[in-house]
Amino acid sequence: MIKLLKPVDVKSNEKQALLWSWLYVFALFLAYYTLRPIRDELGAAGGVTQLTWLFTGTLVAMLMLTPLYGYLVKYWKREKFITISYRFFMLNLVVFAMLMATATGDVLVWTGRIFFIWVSVFNLFVVSVFWLLMADIFNTDQGKRLFVFCRRIQQLYIVANGNFVVGNVCTSGKKTI
């Protein structure tokens, strides 16, 4: 824990970009660690014997989408790519929410299975987009000094989120997912 609190060498002209980077990584992990327990519950609801197929489906989805991702990163401007990719994922969340609210039976099970794969793909791509942006914003020297800060924030968030879940969800006595 002491290593997490070790000061980071931040120059005055880097503070604003680092603050925005911190907010960005915090929002990413807030999204992922909110979606992950839902993904896990829906994956298990379809039958734990199907989890192997869900992980295989995740691998296949990644293999199919990675070339498209690479193509878009190469040919689209950074602002366009980030804007469109995040809007795409937001729209997906709205569609999943509507499906989960209205679907029943097998449709709900298959929606849960697709959501399981989607969350894994979402996690890989949104984190990749974050580091793509960070690599464009900060030079090599800045990256060596400042990326450790983003990583520490990520680690602290994981600890804080776990404490929040244990303190609020697990002690409420209600099944919330």
Side-chain angles (χ1 to χ4, degrees):
M1 185 67 161
I2 300 299
K3 195 173 189 176
L4 291 174
L5 301 176
K6 184 179 174 185
V8 176
D9 180 23
V10 181
K11 311 266 189 271
S12 61
N13 64 332
E14 300 167 335
K15 288 179 182 177
Q16 185 176 9
L18 187 61
L19 174 64
W20 282 109
S21 300
W22 179 85
L23 290 170
Y24 189 174
V25 77
F26 185 82
L28 283 180
F29 283 93
L30 177 64
Y32 177 65
Y33 285 101
T34 301
L35 294 173
R36 191 173 77 173
I38 299 167
R39 175 202 73 172
D40 294 347
E41 180 74 18
L42 291 171
V48 291
T49 58
Q50 300 300 315
L51 288 176
T52 303
W53 292 109
L54 293 176
F55 287 115
T56 302
T58 300
L59 173 65
V60 170
M62 297 285 193
L63 290 173
M64 289 175 21
L65 293 172
T66 300
L68 175 63
Y69 173 82
Y71 177 84
L72 295 176
V73 167
K74 184 176 181 178
Y75 291 106
W76 284 1
K77 290 184 179 179
R78 179 182 69 209
E79 293 83 7
K80 179 180 180 181
F81 177 76
I82 291 172
T83 302
I84 290 174
S85 61
Y86 281 118
R87 286 181 182 168
F88 170 77
F89 283 118
M90 286 185 261
L91 178 62
N92 284 202
L93 280 172
V94 170
V95 170
F96 277 119
M98 291 181 344
L99 281 170
M100 288 180 206
T102 59
T104 58
D106 286 344
V107 174
L108 184 57
V109 170
W110 279 100
T111 300
R113 289 175 179 164
I114 293 167
F115 185 76
F116 185 96
I117 294 169
W118 180 87
V119 169
S120 301
V121 171
F122 163 83
N123 182 48
L124 175 73
F125 287 119
V126 297
V127 171
S128 297
V129 169
F130 169 77
W131 288 113
L132 171 77
L133 179 62
M134 294 303 102
D136 283 351
I137 290 175
F138 298 114
N139 64 34
T140 303
D141 175 59
Q142 291 172 316
K144 288 178 183 177
R145 289 182 295 104
L146 302 176
F147 287 178
V148 69
F149 179 75
C150 291
R151 178 68 181 138
R152 287 181 190 158
I153 292 302
Q154 176 184 352
Q155 292 168 334
L156 285 172
Y157 183 80
I158 291 167
V159 171
N161 183 268
N163 289 335
F164 172 79
V165 170
V166 169
N168 292 296
V169 177
C170 295
T171 60
S172 70
K174 297 178 184 176
K175 185 175 179 182
T176 57
I177 299 174

